[in-house]
């Protein structure tokens, strides 16, 4: 039986496990370091955390949910949805919780995984599904260790954190900070937001889903498909704007400008929140509450560069010290360091970190030369700024299931041909070179500027290109014949552990 190990039980891990189960594979284990399914929706619990892709689209196509309470539901609802899907699809039973992978090495005919507890697990196919936004990034600011108050990252939220009557500093103005700040203003004595570059914002077309709509969705599931299709249409418009479409781009920029005019009366503040970067080079943020929160008298927006953290606050380049009791890092994630900190060693002892020294790359975002039977979910260049990543996860799950089918049929391990992977990477990077994402610094790019997270085209193109695994993309891998003694002990010792 083909043994499949999936690392991570977020949307990606659940998607691929569900597809493999649907196709009849049973020897599957999901290794999850936390004690619960959910990925980013388990980890991010800060006030205001929600998805900014409408739920009718940010959900599995095969498990549309009639029960969303609103178009942009809060994170807890998304987590509950994912847990329910995992349970009903039979995935939860396959998860081993509290198991963190330290390294994985290709032995010549299978993957040997070592956990941080020292356990050895063998698998024929390894599917890392660890997401791109699972490792918080906290800037190293001089003096941070001297700060007397509490400091934490948005992804490490403490539900017991005292905000009441405190002076709170928030560093960053990305998707997380713009959701958090409106939730804490009014409770905190004062909120000081530190902005490095202003984000583009758009009004969030949120709405409550009442009992009539929910009953209709339950009774006529086709209505949910309709709502999903309409949302899809909107993402195409947004995608066209980001791609620089000559008609749509100015319209969307105008809409964003109108939002600033209408929500920010103070010209000085309006000038501070007006982005300099081109629309879409960072994620465009949907919000109705961010600009009004910044316009409050008890909120300061600081645009001077942070130079140090002091015991009592933050000092900026103009010499001003901004006192605070709580310091919140809304500074994002180490998205370009795929699979870190797991050490992955492929054929001939090649380290994935060495293969990716100049930036992560993978054929179709899933498979890397020199790493047989390794398939990533949400790998390099498979992120989207406009639509739902779950659509991409489903495409990947179907492709990987085809690969597992071939491996199970007794073919040799699958390793993508170097020349195919190189040509693909050149094509993707060539297309990205002319994209808006190269126009500013963001989590889409490595320090050297390579765009490693984003897919350059439309989601439908990705679906089309991954629809059918082409056997000609793969080369045969010669399996070394182990001595009988070695083979016996390895087999006894490294059998896949089931939870
Ligand atoms: P982010 O978009 O990377 O934003 C990080 C913010 O911190 C940026 O404003 C950045 O400034 C600032 N920053 C970073 N280092 C700094 C430093 N040393 N000094 C000053 N400012 C610094 O991170 P995020 O807000 O956590 O969002 C990350 C991604 O998570 C989003 O793009 C989105 O895909 C996902 N997310 C989604 C939702 C959702 O609703 N679906 C919600 C939250 C997050 P610069 O802009 O100048 O770099």
């Amino acid at each position: 039986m083909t043994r499949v190990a999936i690392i991570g039980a977020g949307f990606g891990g659940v998607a691929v496990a569900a597809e493999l189960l649907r196709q009849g594979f049973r020897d599957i284990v999901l290794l999850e370091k936390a004690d619960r399914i959910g990925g980013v929706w388990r980890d991010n619990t800060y006030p205001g955390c929600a998805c900014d892709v409408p739920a009718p689209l940010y959900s599995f196509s095969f498990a549309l949910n009639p029960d969303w309470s609103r178009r942009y539901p809060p994170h807890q609802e998304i987590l509950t949805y994912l847990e329910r899907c995992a349970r009903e699809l039979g995935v939860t039973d396959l998860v081993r919780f509290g198991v963190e992978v330290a390294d994985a090495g290709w032995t010549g005919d299978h993957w040997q995984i070592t956990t941080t507890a020292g356990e050895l697990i063998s698998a024929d196919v390894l599917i890392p599904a660890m997401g791109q936004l699972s490792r918080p990034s906290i800037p190293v600011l001089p003096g941070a260790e001297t700060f007397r108050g509490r400091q934490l990252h948005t992804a490490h939220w403490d539900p017991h954190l005292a905000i009441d009557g405190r002076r709170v500093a928030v560093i960053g103005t990305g998707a997380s900070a713009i959701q958090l700040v409106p939730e804490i203003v009014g409770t905190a004595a004062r909120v000081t937001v530190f902005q490095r570059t202003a984000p583009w914002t758009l009004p969030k077309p949120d709405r409550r889903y009442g009992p009539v709509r929910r009953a209709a969705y339950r009774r006529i599931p086709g209505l949910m498909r309709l709502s999903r299709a309409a949302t899809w249409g909107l993402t195409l418009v947004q995608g066209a704007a980001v791609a620089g479409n000559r008609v749509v781009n100015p319209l969307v920029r105008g809409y964003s400008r109108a939002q600033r005019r209408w929500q920010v009366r103070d010209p000085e503040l309006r000038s501070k929140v007006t982005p300099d970067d081109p629309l879409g080079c960072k994620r465009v943020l949907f919000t109705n509450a961010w600009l009004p929160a910044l316009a409050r008298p008890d909120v300061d927006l600081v645009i001077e560069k942070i130079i140090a953290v002091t015991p009592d606050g933050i000092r900026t380049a103009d010499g001003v010290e901004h006192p605070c009791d709580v310091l919140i890092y809304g500074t994002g994630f180490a998205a370009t360091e795929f699979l870190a900190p797991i050490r992955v060693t492929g054929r001939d002892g090649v380290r994935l970190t060495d293969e990716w020294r100049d930036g992560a790359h993978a054929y179709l975002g899933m498979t890397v030369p020199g790493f047989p039977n390794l398939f990533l979910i949400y790998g390099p260049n498979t992120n989207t700024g406009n639509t739902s990543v779950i659509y991409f996860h489903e495409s990947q799950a179907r492709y990987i299931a085809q690969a597992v089918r071939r491996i199970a049929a007794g073919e040799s391990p699958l390793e993508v041909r170097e020349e195919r992977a190189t040509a693909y990477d050149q094509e993707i990077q060539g297309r990205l070179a002319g994209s808006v994402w190269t126009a500013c610094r963001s989590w889409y790019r490595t320090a050297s500027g390579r765009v490693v997270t984003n897919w350059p085209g439309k989601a439908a193109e990705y679906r089309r290109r991954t629809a059918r695994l082409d056997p000609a993309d793969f080369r045969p891998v010669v399996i070394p014949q182990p001595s009988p003694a070695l083979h016996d002990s390895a087999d006894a010792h490294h059998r896949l552990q089931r939870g």
Side-chain angles (χ1 to χ4, degrees):
M1 193 140 44
T2 306
R3 302 160 300 174
V4 179
I6 299 167
I7 310 176
F11 264 106
V14 172
V16 70
E19 180 63 22
L20 290 169
L21 283 172
R22 205 176 65 78
Q23 299 222 11
F25 296 100
R26 291 288 171 265
D27 201 344
I28 303 166
V29 65
L30 289 92
L31 306 172
E32 170 54 62
K33 69 178 176 187
D35 58 0
R36 212 178 157 176
I37 277 171
V40 290
W41 300 108
R42 173 201 60 227
D43 295 344
N44 287 270
T45 60
Y46 58 83
C49 180
C51 186
D52 60 8
V53 176
L57 190 57
Y58 194 83
S59 40
F60 289 125
S61 62
F62 50 83
L64 295 186
N65 179 18
D67 296 323
W68 295 121
S69 67
R70 53 192 316 117
R71 194 168 151 80
Y72 294 91
H75 73 94
Q76 186 56 52
E77 225 176 287
I78 300 169
L79 181 59
T80 305
Y81 164 79
L82 179 57
E83 286 187 319
R84 178 171 62 72
C85 289
R87 208 173 39 248
E88 290 176 0
L89 294 163
V91 174
T92 309
D93 295 339
L94 306 174
V95 184
R96 290 189 57 201
F97 293 104
V99 177
E100 184 170 2
V101 174
D103 58 55
W106 177 251
T107 62
D109 70 351
H110 69 274
W111 283 96
Q112 182 169 293
I113 299 157
T114 311
T115 71
T116 52
E119 184 188 355
L120 298 174
I121 298 171
S122 297
D124 300 302
V125 181
L126 179 63
I127 306 177
M130 297 153 61
Q132 293 189 5
L133 301 168
S134 53
R135 299 181 59 232
S137 161
I138 300 180
V140 181
L141 297 173
E145 70 291 350
T146 67
F147 184 62
R148 273 198 276 260
R150 182 83 193 273
Q151 44 184 328
L152 75 175
H153 189 277
T154 46
H156 293 150
W157 194 257
D158 173 0
H160 306 297
L161 178 70
I163 295 284
D164 269 47
R166 308 287 169 100
R167 296 163 304 175
V168 180
V170 178
I171 303 180
T173 54
S176 303
I178 67 131
Q179 292 179 340
L180 168 74
V181 168
E183 295 295 317
I184 60 171
V185 296
T187 305
R190 188 151 206 96
V191 177
T192 309
V193 177
F194 293 84
Q195 172 184 279
R196 193 161 61 179
T197 48
W200 282 90
T201 62
L202 285 173
K204 186 174 185 172
D206 198 6
R207 87 171 76 90
R208 208 173 69 81
Y209 285 175
V212 175
R213 179 192 285 260
R214 295 210 293 268
Y217 279 167
R218 231 169 277 126
R219 214 174 274 180
I220 315 168
L223 290 177
M224 286 192 281
R225 299 238 157 258
L226 218 58
S227 160
R228 186 173 166 96
T231 307
W232 178 264
L234 278 180
T235 66
L236 291 181
V237 174
Q238 194 190 333
V242 168
N245 179 289
R246 273 198 246 154
V247 178
V248 185
N249 178 284
L251 284 176
V252 172
R253 282 190 290 128
Y255 193 33
S256 177
R257 192 164 47 244
Q259 182 187 36
R260 288 192 295 279
R261 282 193 172 276
W262 138 61
Q263 291 194 319
V264 184
R265 297 284 166 207
D266 172 13
E268 192 188 326
L269 177 60
R270 200 187 304 143
S271 136
K272 284 185 184 175
V273 297
T274 300
D276 295 322
D277 298 325
L279 175 89
C281 78
K282 290 187 295 180
R283 192 179 175 90
V284 178
L285 307 176
F286 288 89
T287 174
N288 300 325
W290 167 246
L291 296 174
L294 295 183
R296 289 172 60 107
D298 53 357
V299 176
D300 297 309
L301 180 66
V302 176
I303 59 169
E304 280 75 23
K305 186 176 161 50
I306 296 172
I307 52 164
V309 177
T310 67
D312 300 307
I314 291 179
R315 185 172 308 121
T316 45
D318 53 0
V320 176
E321 180 161 342
H322 306 267
C324 63
D325 310 302
V326 178
L327 169 49
I328 298 169
Y329 295 92
T331 45
F333 299 86
T336 58
E337 298 165 18
F338 292 84
L339 302 198
I342 300 177
R343 289 177 300 272
V344 181
T345 311
R347 187 170 48 78
D348 303 332
V350 177
R351 288 285 173 104
L352 197 53
T353 42
D354 291 335
E355 178 68 26
W356 285 353
R357 195 181 296 114
D358 300 325
H361 57 86
Y363 181 65
L364 298 173
M366 287 184 269
T367 171
V368 185
F371 296 81
N373 288 6
L374 175 85
F375 297 92
L376 291 105
I377 291 275
Y378 204 7
N381 298 111
T382 63
N383 179 57
T384 160
N386 315 308
T387 185
S388 169
V389 291
I390 298 171
Y391 182 85
F392 284 72
H393 296 344
E394 287 185 25
S395 305
Q396 289 147 10
R398 290 175 201 172
Y399 183 92
I400 293 170
Q402 293 176 54
V404 176
R405 184 172 293 286
R406 286 187 170 273
I407 294 161
E411 292 188 17
S412 75
L414 286 182
E415 180 185 331
V416 66
R417 290 181 187 277
E418 177 101 46
E419 64 275 17
R420 295 278 166 119
T422 304
Y424 173 83
D425 188 50
Q426 280 168 354
E427 179 216 324
I428 296 298
Q429 288 302 320
R431 288 167 68 181
L432 287 165
S435 76
V436 70
W437 298 308
T438 57
C440 68
R441 166 176 50 191
S442 74
W443 62 266
Y444 301 151
R445 306 175 78 194
T446 60
S448 67
R450 182 183 160 102
V451 179
V452 288
T453 60
N454 282 13
W455 168 248
K458 293 191 175 69
E461 181 196 338
Y462 187 76
R463 171 67 52 98
R464 185 172 46 72
R465 290 180 71 163
T466 54
R468 207 180 61 80
L469 180 146
D470 182 355
D473 287 343
F474 293 87
R475 66 190 277 281
V477 176
V478 180
I479 301 177
Q481 295 303 314
S483 74
L486 251 179
H487 187 266
D488 287 352
S489 74
D491 219 31
H493 198 55
H494 303 150
R495 206 159 272 292
L496 180 65
Q497 308 281 314
R498 304 292 304 273

